[in-house]
Amino acid sequence: MEILDIILNILSTPAILVGLVALIGLILQKKPIEEIVKGTVKTIVGFLVLTAGASFLQTGSLNDFGTLFNYAFGVQGVVPNNEAIVSLGLEKFAVETALIMCVGMIANIIIARFSRLNYIFLSGHVTLYMACMLAVLLNVGGLTGISLIIAGGLLLGLIMVLSPAICMPTMKKVMKTDTIALGHFGGVGYWFAGQIGRLVKGKKEQIKSTEDIKFPQRISFLRDTTVAIGLTMVIFFLIVTAVAMAKGGMNDATIAAMFTSGDTKTHWIVGALIRGLNFAGGVFIILSGVRLIIGEVVPAFKGIAEKLVPNAKPALDCPIIFPSAPNAVLIGFLVSFLGGIIGLFLLGVMNGIGISIVLILPGVIPHFFCGATAGVFANAEGGLKGCVIGSFLHGLLITFLPAICMPVMGSLNFANSTFSDADFSVAGILLGNLAQFVQGNILLIIAIVLFLIPIIYHYIAPKKQKS
Amino acid sequence: MSVKSIMCCCGSGLGSSLLVRMNVEKAVKELGFSGIDVQHSSLSSAVNGAADLFVIGKDLEASAGELENKIILDNILDMEELKAKLQTKLL
């Protein structure tokens, strides 16, 4: 009976189960034994590191931020950061997330092979994040176990081809080739920015590109995520703590406890500084964990997909387009960030006039990576003017979408963090609201039908003649 | 100095650096070298001593000024460029 206990124990220990999935994957690829051992160990360690980062982040600064923000402004303040929110989601749905990711990659290969959406999505980290979000949302819809994993996996596979597909028309103009697609779940936002760029361009033949002007490159040091998160979170903490202090925060027992340990008191400025940098530290740890897990999964997925769907277009992470327009990258970031700040004020005003909505803070990571990508897309369609307007509206978009998405996030809707990129919010809003009305097996059937649509369409609808 | 370890870097060390790592591993093999450890990581981890050689995209050149031995790729997906630049560094 002891053996049964051990087996049950393994199946309920997420780290080992995730390692087991990696192990099976490596064996199926017929890797040499040392590679199998290495990959399995790294995956398990990666998962444990991720979990450690999650608890460090929550006890260290995420909870404190929430408490301080609530005291200072009387509403829920949310930092959009994928790593932070995924680490929360994984606490409850680790096993489901890992298996949804597996099924999702298989579903991606099936759609790529048997439909016209022949993209293979190779950004493993965002695939993991999306798998986690689907697990949380579908669980709200009453799905558990096998049906949760199948429904989540099929939907994930579908999103993995839809996101590159809507970006493809502009992506061709950016990369000057149609062999590479964009694989990053800000797709809706990039498409949106590109469309704005087109509107701005109108019927003009010649437009001025962002690359025709001189633009200082010094701000690019913010590409280092640790620096970027550290700096912005320090600023956020300083502002929020200052307001909380001005409102007499030290009279609140929870807040007072943050700045005292034993007999020593920490000045609130120092406390805010350390908490801001702590946040960056937490994300750093989580990123290291994700890197260890994904580092084994993506090469395997790429190898298998290349064999099964040789003609598929690889969908790659957003920085691949940055070298094509370095100025658009920086303008996109700055203007999108500005949009985020103005969006925050608008949300504040809405709260002021009685519309209850969470405040989404301008997260520097989404505004950098998604804003920069939106900037490049908008520039490719509408030049400098398109880039400025497109990125600004994109900044507003990725502020309002997460705010609308928050109420349907199930067990994560009281978290002080949320998913940041546009596709997460769009998928979240659609699926989250659907899950309020449709429950259980019907939800599973809807997932299966949605998955089959592009495949059936491919075999029924006539192919377009190439001119 | 012979290169024993290579680190490929990008902003968060998750997506594009992993793509470059897969390309570097392939290129190293095709160029006939072995026993070189290839990793990928974030810019924050890229400090002299962390690896013998760093590979980064041109868009991050400004953030990598202090790295001594590095390859800057104009196009991070271009195998030919990568191979040519690796060849000069590894010989």
Side-chain angles (χ1 to χ4, degrees):
Chain A
M1 275 296 100
E2 203 160 303
I3 293 177
L4 193 70
D5 276 349
I6 294 175
I7 294 174
L8 280 176
N9 235 314
I10 286 179
L11 291 179
S12 56
T13 309
I16 301 182
L17 199 92
V18 172
L20 213 60
V21 173
L23 177 72
I24 296 168
L26 288 160
I27 292 174
L28 284 179
Q29 291 175 74
K30 301 195 183 95
K31 291 271 182 188
I33 181 91
E34 61 270 23
E35 294 272 318
I36 294 176
V37 173
K38 192 178 102 180
T40 311
V41 170
K42 270 183 150 179
T43 308
I44 298 177
V45 171
F47 193 86
L48 294 173
V49 169
L50 198 160
T51 320
S55 68
F56 178 80
L57 189 65
Q58 285 155 56
T59 56
S61 66
L62 195 55
N63 280 347
D64 292 355
F65 187 80
T67 311
L68 287 164
F69 196 96
N70 218 324
Y71 190 90
F73 300 107
V75 281
Q76 190 185 354
V78 175
V79 182
N81 182 292
N82 291 334
E83 282 76 27
I85 191 65
V86 163
S87 70
L88 280 174
L90 283 178
E91 279 184 351
K92 232 178 123 186
F93 294 103
V95 173
E96 288 85 349
T97 300
L99 294 174
I100 286 177
M101 189 168 167
C102 288
V103 177
M105 291 189 293
I106 296 168
N108 180 186
I109 291 178
I110 294 173
I111 301 180
R113 178 71 186 79
F114 299 107
S115 87
R116 272 162 245 181
L117 301 168
N118 59 339
Y119 305 98
I120 294 292
F121 195 94
L122 289 178
S123 297
H125 53 300
V126 283
T127 311
L128 177 75
Y129 303 161
M130 187 64 90
C132 180
M133 190 185 83
L134 290 171
V136 173
L137 286 177
L138 291 171
N139 185 256
V140 175
L143 290 177
T144 49
I146 281 285
S147 42
L148 173 67
I149 290 157
I150 292 175
L154 295 181
L155 289 173
L156 179 61
L158 185 65
I159 298 171
M160 288 165 85
V161 295
L162 286 181
S163 178
I166 59 166
C167 291
M168 203 59 202
T170 308
M171 188 67 181
K172 274 185 217 162
K173 294 184 186 166
V174 173
M175 299 299 282
K176 315 239 168 15
T177 162
D178 66 349
T179 54
I180 293 162
L182 185 64
H184 192 253
F185 288 142
V188 175
Y190 311 145
W191 171 84
F192 173 77
Q195 295 308 307
I196 299 292
R198 274 181 60 179
L199 284 177
V200 170
K201 186 187 178 196
K203 291 206 164 65
K204 277 179 284 233
E205 286 289 323
Q206 279 292 325
I207 42 160
K208 191 174 179 183
S209 162
T210 51
E211 308 314 300
D212 298 336
I213 59 167
K214 276 216 179 310
F215 198 81
Q217 297 287 321
R218 296 188 64 167
I219 195 151
S220 65
F221 74 97
L222 286 175
R223 277 292 295 283
D224 190 322
T225 43
T226 310
V227 179
I229 296 179
L231 283 180
T232 43
M233 286 313 289
V234 164
I235 295 170
F236 287 166
F237 262 105
L238 282 173
I239 295 172
V240 170
T241 318
V243 175
M245 290 297 142
K247 284 192 173 176
M250 275 307 183
N251 300 323
D252 183 289
T254 328
I255 293 179
M258 285 180 205
F259 299 97
T260 27
S261 67
D263 290 337
T264 21
K265 271 197 169 28
T266 314
H267 191 274
W268 66 266
I269 293 184
V270 181
L273 194 74
I274 288 301
R275 281 189 171 72
L277 296 172
N278 234 319
F279 193 99
V283 172
F284 185 89
I285 302 173
I286 297 171
L287 284 177
S288 316
V290 173
R291 190 175 306 134
L292 282 170
I293 301 173
I294 299 308
E296 300 302 322
V297 172
V298 171
F301 179 49
K302 183 168 180 271
I304 295 170
E306 274 171 357
K307 269 190 205 123
L308 296 177
V309 205
N311 300 321
K313 300 182 178 85
L316 309 176
D317 200 8
C318 59
I320 55 157
I321 71 169
F322 292 173
S324 71
N327 286 343
V329 167
L330 296 178
I331 296 171
F333 160 55
L334 288 172
V335 179
S336 177
F337 195 66
L338 181 72
I341 294 173
I342 291 176
L344 172 64
F345 274 105
L346 292 177
L347 288 171
V349 169
M350 287 168 73
N351 258 297
I353 58 169
I355 304 167
S356 175
I357 194 160
V358 297
L359 298 190
I360 302 289
L361 282 91
V364 70
I365 296 304
H367 283 295
F368 206 129
F369 285 99
C370 300
T373 311
V376 176
F377 263 51
N379 176 55
E381 296 284 2
L384 177 60
K385 214 167 143 195
C387 175
V388 172
I389 300 172
S391 313
F392 180 77
L393 293 176
H394 170 268
L396 285 178
L397 184 79
I398 65 168
T399 306
F400 277 90
L401 283 180
I404 300 169
C405 190
M406 272 310 266
V408 295
M409 285 301 285
S411 56
L412 296 179
N413 71 348
F414 292 114
N416 303 310
S417 182
T418 193
F419 292 95
S420 52
D421 312 352
D423 291 0
F424 290 101
S425 308
V426 171
I429 292 167
L430 294 177
L431 201 58
N433 282 304
L434 183 69
Q436 310 282 327
F437 300 107
V438 188
Q439 300 267 317
N441 284 337
I442 306 176
L443 200 56
L444 174 64
I445 292 167
I446 291 177
I448 296 172
V449 171
L450 286 174
F451 167 76
L452 288 174
I453 286 174
I455 299 172
I456 295 169
Y457 177 83
H458 175 62
Y459 287 102
I460 292 177
K463 282 196 177 92
K464 260 190 269 174
Q465 294 293 323
K466 275 193 180 164
S467 53
Chain B
M1 188 185 75
S2 73
V3 172
K4 283 279 162 237
S5 60
I6 301 176
M7 188 186 271
C8 312
C9 302
C10 69
S12 6
L14 293 175
S16 44
S17 56
L18 176 55
L19 298 169
V20 177
R21 188 192 99 187
M22 292 189 273
N23 279 350
V24 169
E25 281 171 345
K26 202 170 154 197
V28 165
K29 212 171 167 185
E30 285 176 13
L31 290 170
F33 294 94
S34 62
I36 298 177
D37 180 43
V38 188
Q39 305 169 27
H40 70 288
S41 198
S42 68
L43 271 182
S44 318
S45 321
V47 287
N48 287 316
D52 299 333
L53 175 65
F54 297 89
V55 183
I56 51 175
K58 192 166 173 49
D59 51 320
L60 290 177
E61 191 174 5
S63 317
E66 74 278 13
L67 296 176
E68 280 159 10
N69 198 16
K70 65 189 170 220
I71 289 175
I72 308 278
L73 294 175
D74 293 326
N75 175 357
I76 60 171
L77 303 171
D78 188 344
M79 262 318 256
E80 295 310 312
E81 182 194 352
L82 175 65
K83 267 171 132 177
K85 288 184 174 171
L86 263 180
Q87 180 102 43
T88 59
K89 287 282 184 188
L90 293 182
L91 283 180

